[in-house]
Amino acid sequence: MPGSVSFEHSGEIAIVFVDNPPVNALKHEVRFGILEGMRRAAENADVKAIVLAAKGRTFMAGADITEFGKPPKAPILSEVIVFMETMRKPVVAALHGTPLGGGLEITFGCQFRVASPETKLGLPEIKLGIIPGAGGTQLLPRLVGVEKALSMILSGDPIPAKDALVCGLIDEIVEGDVLQGAIAFARRALAEKRPLRHPRERDEKIKLANREKFEEAASAILKKSRSMDATKAAIESIRNVFALPVDEGRKRERELFLRLVAGEQSRAQRYIFFAEREALKIPGLGKDVKPREVKSAAVIGAGTMGGGISMALANAGIPVTVIETSEEALKRGLDTISKNYATSVKRGSLTQEEADKRFARLRGQTSLDVAKNADLVIEAVFEEMNLKEEVFSALDKLAKPGAVLATNTSYLDVNMIAAVTKRPADVLGMHFFSPANVMRLLEVVRGEKTSPEVLATAIAVGKKLGKVPVVVGVCRGFVGNRMLARRQQAAERVLLDGALPQEVDAAMTGFGFPMGPLAMSDLAGLDISWRNRKALGTRTEIADTLCEMGRFGQKTGKGFYRYEPGSRTPIPDPDVDEIIVAASKKLGRTRRKFSAQEIVERLVFPMINEGARILDEGIAARASDIDVIWVYGYGFPVYRGGPMFYADQAGLAAIRDKLKIFAQEAGDETLEPAPLLLKLAAEGGGFASLNEKKAAA
Ligand code: NAD
């Protein structure tokens, strides 16, 4: 037996025990070991039943994704499972932790599955742009029904043991030691002579399935999927259970799986998977730096962001005091939070009991004094420097020593904010995204004087909140909004040069963004950036004209589009077309047609260019950090891997040449290719080569 799998047996029960820390990934040696163990158990006449279990914190948590893209080494997982399906002795999987992906599929080679109560089971392959490749799409529907399997495989989200028991994925929940529980279950199965049916032999739920309902659910998912190859393949494969014998279905599944693994989309998604983990390695922040303990928090401002941030904290079990300027504003903020929880309960994503528990962690106050008790204070007041400075100098006087003081500013200089305190080492930015209780991205803005410990604390809190924290440096708009500003500028430019809002948005949603940039502006409110421009003394002809007419976006029912009362659906508005044409005329621009491809290039390439500057300035530590920010915070299609990954695919030389043309046409030197982009293009390299150099350094 190989080192990472042992075969133990005393009496009639054999245990095939996997031990491949940290998560018992199904690397080649493990697959081989399990097969070997099962063979021995099958051949040994003394062995009457087998338990498949894993040591450490979890049952096998999936494939070893470092093996992806390499030639498969036999036995592949499906071969192990197929062998297990020939066994005529009861095999019980003893599950704990997170049996996911291949880790769950291997249990489909067993006739029985038992799990400890905290177990989470799922097939998350879709999140890497692939589908289960060892029978998951054919065998899960046979256990839990087609519709449940569709929702599990297409969401990729795991389900808790309790649900798994209800839907038939497991046979029993074991309190206490799961291995002992599985052994006891095996003995009972023997004693009761339970029928030994592998999932492949169980067709009753397929026969009962409602094909029409399946198709309805599938087309709803397809509509939302932004043309992801894996979504289409998963649906196609699950649909095969209706028509094909199980082995034929598995053969087709494998073909689809291999095609996806070799495809561009999955490559991009696997890149993002690793990029997200890479982002947690912070230059200059050693493992010895320990985060401070955060037992309680205060959030200043209960508006859009303060409310969402408070919910995120409360959801993660951290008691929060929300501070506002008046009882009225406080009540408004808390009412919104309470409504949001009620909506979750109504939708079934939260139980009433859990919602009550979370809401009970929130306290409202109208005096800043109460912030003195908090380990972490997050400021989310209006985006005005004077106000932020006022709040931070007050906090400096009252916050307890060692408290972390964070600002949620979108654009402002975190160093200036820190400078009004006598403890700039405790100050940093925690830039959440709206809605803050939902969006995964957290830009952690490291000020010049932010201490490593404080940085580590913000990252630890971010992780506790289920966020994806990415450390960035101080500059106007940090990484995400600074690049976004380039896209907005470019959108205004193509409108002036001939495109209409619906064309711009269709091009960008066609590229894979969930929403076009102009519909997005309508949602966020056009007045915010208008106020900003007025303060800076700049003008953006079309957007400013819309605002001057009181068209602030969804909140006024009109913006780049018009909206029917109570609806969020943007409807193209001929009035806007007129405004745009007039603006072009006023500025002496000749209007022409743009193809979708041209629109995408004109909007995305300037963003990439700004990304290159950001890298050059060290505002982001690596190109992959920028990609994580855009995928998690701004809806950049994950299957394109983020703007910098996409740039490498599109070719930096081609982007450089286009940027030169854009710069010349617009007479705008900020569109000239950035020095780093020029250098990489000349070397024939890409942004990925920077990631590699950093990794090697
Ligand atoms: P908002 O107008 O919805 O809320 C601000 C709240 O702060 C208001 O309720 C106001 O009463 C309160 N407030 C003002 N002064 C205060 C004080 N001295 N003490 C306590 N409360 C006070 O604004 P928002 O959209 O939540 O933005 C807040 C901050 O978050 C800004 O810095 C903004 O740039 C940033 N931000 C916003 C978004 C977004 O999408 N809205 C995203 C990321 C960051």
Side-chain angles (χ1 to χ4, degrees):
M1 296 292 292
S4 46
V5 184
S6 64
F7 177 79
E8 302 162 12
H9 99 95
S10 58
E12 56 185 13
I13 310 285
I15 302 166
V16 177
F17 224 158
V18 177
D19 185 11
N20 177 29
V23 296
N24 290 309
L26 280 152
K27 62 177 180 183
H28 170 255
E29 189 183 284
V30 172
R31 299 192 300 270
F32 177 77
I34 295 172
L35 182 62
E36 212 29 50
M38 292 295 165
R39 267 202 193 117
R40 280 198 202 178
E43 284 162 11
N44 188 329
D46 295 340
V47 172
K48 302 288 185 240
I50 302 101
V51 170
L52 174 62
K55 289 187 185 155
R57 70 169 126 111
T58 176
F59 190 80
M60 287 149 267
D64 181 346
I65 70 169
T66 59
E67 288 182 4
F68 276 178
K70 298 184 187 151
K73 210 165 151 196
I76 61 171
L77 184 59
S78 53
E79 289 165 345
V80 182
I81 295 168
V82 166
F83 176 81
M84 290 166 68
E85 288 172 338
T86 64
M87 294 180 62
R88 291 296 138 206
K89 299 175 182 180
V91 185
V92 183
L95 307 178
H96 72 295
T98 50
L100 298 174
L104 183 61
E105 282 177 298
I106 198 157
T107 74
F108 300 156
C110 311
Q111 302 96 338
F112 306 105
R113 283 150 294 279
V114 302
S116 56
E118 88 300 342
T119 312
K120 291 204 158 71
L121 311 89
L123 294 173
E125 286 82 351
I126 199 97
K127 296 186 176 172
L128 293 177
I130 55 174
I131 61 171
T137 65
Q138 305 303 293
L139 301 173
L140 183 67
R142 287 176 158 82
L143 282 173
V144 305
V146 184
E147 273 181 69
K148 180 76 180 172
L150 181 75
S151 99
M152 281 181 71
I153 292 170
L154 270 297
S155 71
D157 295 333
I159 61 170
K162 216 163 58 182
D163 284 6
L165 183 66
V166 173
C167 69
L169 180 52
I170 60 172
D171 302 279
E172 194 174 279
I173 291 180
V174 175
E175 303 286 345
D177 186 86
V178 71
L179 179 62
Q180 291 314 316
I183 293 172
F185 187 98
R187 288 195 203 288
R188 253 182 292 133
L190 284 173
E192 294 166 9
K193 295 197 170 47
R194 288 218 193 172
L196 297 182
R197 290 169 71 230
H198 285 96
R200 59 165 290 135
E201 295 155 308
R202 296 170 52 171
D203 267 355
E204 55 279 9
K205 284 193 175 165
I206 307 287
K207 288 194 185 117
L208 283 175
N210 183 330
R211 178 76 188 256
E212 237 168 71
K213 265 174 106 180
F214 168 83
E215 293 301 342
E216 251 170 50
S219 63
I221 293 168
L222 267 182
K223 227 164 140 188
K224 275 202 284 184
S225 85
R226 301 195 258 151
S227 69
M228 309 228 315
D229 294 344
T231 308
K232 290 184 219 156
I235 291 173
E236 181 184 333
S237 193
I238 299 169
R239 186 183 284 126
N240 283 340
V241 302
F242 290 109
L244 298 181
V246 65
D247 291 331
E248 187 57 30
R250 285 159 122 172
K251 214 174 112 212
R252 298 273 181 94
E253 176 196 89
R254 183 85 196 149
E255 287 162 10
L256 287 167
F257 167 82
L258 289 174
R259 204 169 74 203
L260 291 170
V261 170
E264 278 296 308
Q265 293 196 352
S266 170
R267 208 162 70 81
Q269 279 176 265
R270 285 177 340 243
Y271 158 83
I272 283 293
F273 177 89
F274 287 112
E276 185 187 327
R277 278 142 193 86
E278 190 69 19
L280 293 173
K281 296 180 195 150
I282 319 300
L285 195 68
K287 281 219 164 72
D288 50 318
V289 180
K290 294 277 171 273
R292 292 180 190 163
E293 210 177 347
V294 173
K295 285 200 196 136
S296 67
V299 173
I300 308 175
T304 310
M305 293 309 289
I309 295 167
S310 303
M311 283 178 77
L313 289 160
N315 294 351
I318 301 173
V320 195
T321 308
V322 193
I323 302 166
E324 259 294 349
T325 43
S326 68
E327 286 297 339
E328 197 193 339
L330 186 61
K331 183 174 178 319
R332 204 181 319 125
L334 290 174
D335 283 352
T336 306
I337 294 176
S338 159
K339 255 188 241 150
N340 286 340
Y341 279 129
T343 308
S344 300
V345 171
K346 222 189 279 160
R347 258 202 237 122
S349 54
L350 205 63
T351 63
Q352 184 65 53
E353 191 193 350
E354 184 57 33
D356 292 345
K357 241 200 238 162
R358 293 178 183 190
F359 195 69
R361 294 191 190 112
L362 294 157
R363 293 265 174 285
Q365 282 288 350
T366 50
S367 148
L368 196 60
D369 272 358
V370 289
K372 67 173 186 267
N373 302 318
D375 298 318
L376 167 67
V377 183
I378 302 177
E379 166 276 313
V381 302
F382 302 129
E383 184 77 346
E384 287 161 21
M385 195 49 152
N386 293 343
L387 181 59
K388 305 252 185 209
E389 286 180 343
E390 210 177 275
V391 169
F392 273 80
S393 53
L395 281 176
D396 188 31
K397 294 189 185 81
L398 59 87
K400 67 175 168 190
V404 171
L405 309 180
T407 170
N408 180 49
T409 179
S410 306
Y411 292 95
L412 299 175
D413 186 334
V414 174
N415 293 330
M416 274 174 75
I417 296 173
V420 303
T421 72
K422 293 193 190 70
R423 40 173 131 178
D426 290 339
V427 179
L428 86 175
M430 285 178 80
H431 184 210
F432 289 83
F433 289 74
S434 179
N437 52 317
V438 177
M439 293 294 286
R440 300 275 318 279
L441 179 64
L442 175 66
E443 277 185 334
V444 178
V445 189
R446 179 185 208 163
E448 251 165 37
K449 301 204 169 136
T450 305
S451 80
E453 224 182 65
V454 167
L455 191 67
T457 308
I459 294 166
V461 169
K463 284 206 276 189
K464 188 162 184 198
L465 266 47
K467 304 291 175 200
V468 179
V470 183
V471 174
V472 299
V474 175
C475 65
R476 190 169 168 76
F478 317 116
V479 171
N481 282 344
R482 178 168 158 183
M483 287 167 70
L484 183 69
R486 292 286 171 207
R487 191 178 79 174
Q488 290 306 101
Q489 257 173 15
E492 169 92 9
R493 212 157 25 227
V494 292
L495 289 178
L496 284 173
D497 287 339
L500 294 174
Q502 51 274 28
E503 291 166 347
V504 173
D505 283 352
M508 296 302 275
T509 51
F511 179 77
F513 279 95
M515 204 182 217
L518 301 168
M520 186 75 213
S521 301
D522 274 1
L523 173 68
L526 302 181
D527 51 323
I528 297 173
S529 45
W530 182 44
R531 223 178 304 132
N532 208 351
R533 285 193 297 275
K534 280 201 290 193
L536 295 170
T538 61
R539 183 168 176 84
T540 297
E541 190 57 35
I542 299 170
D544 283 9
T545 309
L546 292 173
C547 288
E548 282 151 13
M549 299 171 81
R551 301 184 69 123
F552 293 165
Q554 286 193 16
K555 63 176 105 166
T556 57
K558 282 177 178 178
F560 279 103
Y561 297 91
R562 66 181 184 83
Y563 299 84
E564 296 290 348
S567 160
R568 290 175 172 275
T569 310
I571 303 169
D573 187 343
D575 292 351
V576 175
D577 300 356
E578 266 178 43
I579 293 166
I580 292 174
V581 172
S584 303
K585 196 162 171 207
K586 179 174 166 193
L587 299 181
R589 309 284 265 262
T590 318
R591 294 183 66 78
R592 66 167 178 97
K593 268 258 161 268
F594 285 93
S595 71
Q597 163 85 10
E598 252 183 304
I599 291 173
V600 168
E601 289 176 354
R602 279 167 191 268
L603 267 62
V604 175
F605 290 0
M607 268 170 51
I608 293 166
N609 203 26
E610 197 62 34
R613 292 192 188 106
I614 283 169
L615 279 172
D616 225 3
E617 292 166 25
I619 297 295
R622 9 177 138 71
S624 61
D625 286 2
I626 299 179
D627 288 331
V628 171
I629 286 172
W630 268 83
V631 166
Y632 284 105
Y634 297 83
F636 198 98
V638 59
Y639 58 82
R640 294 190 193 274
M644 309 318 271
F645 183 88
Y646 172 73
D648 284 355
Q649 313 307 305
L652 297 192
I655 294 175
R656 171 199 60 201
D657 296 345
K658 283 277 166 66
L659 283 167
K660 282 185 182 164
I661 298 171
F662 300 162
Q664 206 178 15
E665 275 179 14
D668 179 352
E669 63 181 21
T670 64
L671 284 168
E672 286 291 349
L676 179 64
L677 197 143
L678 286 173
K679 179 169 167 276
L680 290 171
E683 289 168 357
F687 292 112
S689 66
L690 297 177
N691 294 344
E692 281 150 21
K693 270 186 218 148
K694 285 247 166 75

